[in-house]
Amino acid sequence: MTALGRSLFGRRARLRWIHLILGGALAMPYVLVGSVVVGPLAGGENVFGSLSLQLASFALGLPLAAVTSLFPLTRPLESGVVRSLCGVGAERLAYGPARTKGEKGRTAAWFTLHLGAGGIVAGMSLAVPPFAVTLIVLPFVPVLRDGWPGLPGLFGHTWALVLSPLAGAAMLLALAGCAAAVGALLARWAPALLGPSAEDRVAAAEARAADLAIRNRLARELHDSVGHALSAVTLQASAARRLLDADPEFVREALAAIEDTTRRTVGELDAVLGVLRDGDATGDAWGAAPAPTLAGDLDDLLRRTRAGGLRVDATVAAAVADPRALPAPVSREAYRIVQEGLSNALRHAGEKVTVALRVEVLDGHLRITVENPFGVAVPAPRPGGGHGLRGIADRARLLGGAAEAGAAGPLWRLHVRLPLKGTA
């Protein structure tokens, strides 16, 4: 009994009843338009004085409702109402305007169904309760027993007066059951008629993929910039500690490099975390984050790396220093690739090892090569490790290039090719 009471009078049933009443209210203008046509056809008879003429006006108004449902705002508004009042999950509904013929047809079918079912239930909700209440109080108010056309003398019988309250209560329960059943049917059919189409699902999947791609890019930037900074600062601090008494000038340079590295990295970290925190991982938001380039920031990168004690023999083509010589995406990604290559050398090459860096333009490609002796044994892979080389490969692949890394005789070699033409 409790479950039955909730299904008829619970919060969800009441909200769905309100949804149907709203449908009836929306149907009224169309019924009025239909009455303008039905009245003259009925010989000028008062349409609202005849139930059959009201039903005819109602039936004539529903096709007009189907036509007006083609307005773009119909589907978003109906989806919002269904989510709020019918208890249908937002993920099962489409909130954009109907674009294709199929979407428009389903929206028209839903709008017509909502107004049709709502008009019937709203009419019952207006007519049944007063009649049912009259039956319930009839035994206690004798004056109400007169004036029932078609039922002469019926309420003069005791059995009729006894059954009258039961009939009134049964009518109210029937009305509640009808409204609950119709509301449940509309809630069940809503996803089929207002749900996302195949095109909507594809668009949503593409939007999620684009968002994931941007977030993966932000993660690569964090890994490369912060990882390089930590490696450089660790070696610089270690070298400064060892030479604190023997070479104060070197210590001052190392501390200055540490300060510069941390300040720059904190700025990049704040910008990237700001994008993630605001939930605006889009191309526009990404453009506001700092973007060091090969042409403008390579010299500073080499200076900070050398301040940590790593010897870098850099051979850089003159064209690389010209910001107009390299496409902006290539210059940005190439900087991160060089940064990660030097970070690997900082972590694994060992002390007193010279790292050879070559950056050249050849055959329409920017070629980056980082070589260093093994120095120390390359560490075994650790859980979660290997992100740096994977990030380099991803950057190269996104620009249409390629990256190779591995042992080349006594050297560890990283070689990357980035095309200069056709880069988006």
Side-chain angles (χ1 to χ4, degrees):
M1 292 297 294
T2 303
L4 178 61
R6 283 199 303 268
S7 65
L8 295 180
F9 304 105
R11 181 176 183 274
R12 177 166 294 181
R14 296 197 303 271
L15 291 176
R16 290 176 176 174
W17 202 335
I18 293 174
H19 179 251
L20 291 169
I21 297 298
L22 288 176
L26 291 173
M28 284 304 300
Y30 301 100
V31 174
L32 293 175
V33 173
S35 67
V36 173
V37 178
V38 172
L41 294 178
E45 185 178 348
N46 182 14
V47 173
F48 295 99
S50 168
L51 178 61
S52 60
L53 294 181
Q54 291 181 42
L55 292 177
S57 301
F58 182 64
L60 187 62
L62 288 180
L64 298 177
V67 173
T68 58
S69 69
L70 300 178
F71 286 102
L73 288 178
T74 301
R75 186 167 74 159
L77 291 175
E78 285 289 322
S79 296
V81 173
V82 168
R83 180 184 62 83
S84 301
L85 298 180
C86 294
V88 179
E91 70 282 354
R92 303 176 64 190
L93 300 171
Y95 289 89
R99 296 181 299 271
T100 65
K101 291 183 179 180
E103 293 175 355
K104 293 178 179 178
R106 290 189 293 120
T107 302
W110 167 261
F111 193 65
T112 305
L113 180 63
H114 181 201
L115 269 60
I120 294 173
V121 173
M124 294 172 59
S125 300
L126 289 174
V128 172
F131 183 69
V133 171
T134 301
L135 290 178
I136 292 174
V137 302
L138 193 63
F140 313 103
V141 185
V143 70
L144 297 177
R145 301 172 191 174
D146 300 328
W148 288 75
L151 299 175
L154 175 64
F155 293 107
H157 301 285
T158 303
W159 62 268
L161 294 177
V162 172
L163 294 179
S164 176
L166 298 178
M171 293 177 68
L172 292 177
L173 287 176
L175 174 62
C178 181
V182 174
L185 285 176
L186 287 184
R188 184 175 181 179
W189 292 336
L193 297 177
L194 292 178
S197 63
E199 293 81 1
D200 292 327
R201 288 191 289 269
V202 170
E206 290 177 347
R208 287 194 297 270
D211 179 73
L212 182 60
I214 293 295
R215 291 179 181 273
N216 285 339
R217 182 178 180 183
L218 293 174
R220 286 199 303 270
E221 294 295 322
L222 283 177
H223 173 273
D224 291 353
S225 62
V226 176
H228 173 81
L230 290 177
S231 299
V233 167
T234 299
L235 285 183
Q236 288 161 354
S238 176
R241 179 181 57 81
R242 292 196 307 270
L243 300 175
L244 182 59
D245 297 325
D247 193 347
E249 183 62 27
F250 175 83
V251 173
R252 281 192 292 270
E253 292 178 0
L255 291 177
I258 290 174
E259 180 183 6
D260 180 59
T261 300
T262 54
R263 182 184 297 112
R264 183 186 185 93
T265 304
V266 167
E268 294 182 10
L269 183 62
D270 285 344
V272 174
L273 291 182
V275 172
L276 293 174
R277 183 168 50 248
D278 295 338
D280 186 20
T282 62
D284 293 339
W286 171 249
T293 62
L294 195 66
D297 300 278
L298 179 59
D299 290 340
D300 288 340
L301 175 63
L302 295 176
R303 179 181 56 79
R304 293 194 303 271
T305 304
R306 288 164 176 155
L310 186 68
R311 288 175 286 189
V312 181
D313 182 10
T315 304
V316 181
V320 175
D322 184 0
R324 297 168 297 179
L326 301 179
V330 173
S331 187
R332 289 195 300 267
E333 300 302 324
Y335 175 89
R336 292 303 189 191
I337 290 171
V338 172
Q339 185 183 54
E340 180 59 28
L342 295 178
S343 296
N344 285 336
L346 281 170
R347 286 192 292 266
H348 304 314
E351 298 181 0
K352 299 180 181 179
V353 168
T354 299
V355 177
L357 169 66
R358 293 196 307 276
V359 183
E360 54 190 347
V361 177
L362 186 63
D363 298 331
H365 287 73
L366 178 68
R367 297 176 180 264
I368 302 170
T369 305
V370 182
E371 295 178 334
N372 60 269
F374 282 104
V376 294
V378 176
R382 61 189 185 281
H387 297 298
L389 293 177
R390 189 183 312 150
I392 290 175
D394 289 342
R395 292 177 188 277
R397 185 169 55 252
L398 287 174
L399 294 177
E404 301 172 356
L411 301 176
W412 176 268
R413 176 179 297 161
L414 168 68
H415 184 66
V416 180
R417 301 185 307 278
L418 304 177
L420 298 180
K421 293 184 179 180
T423 302

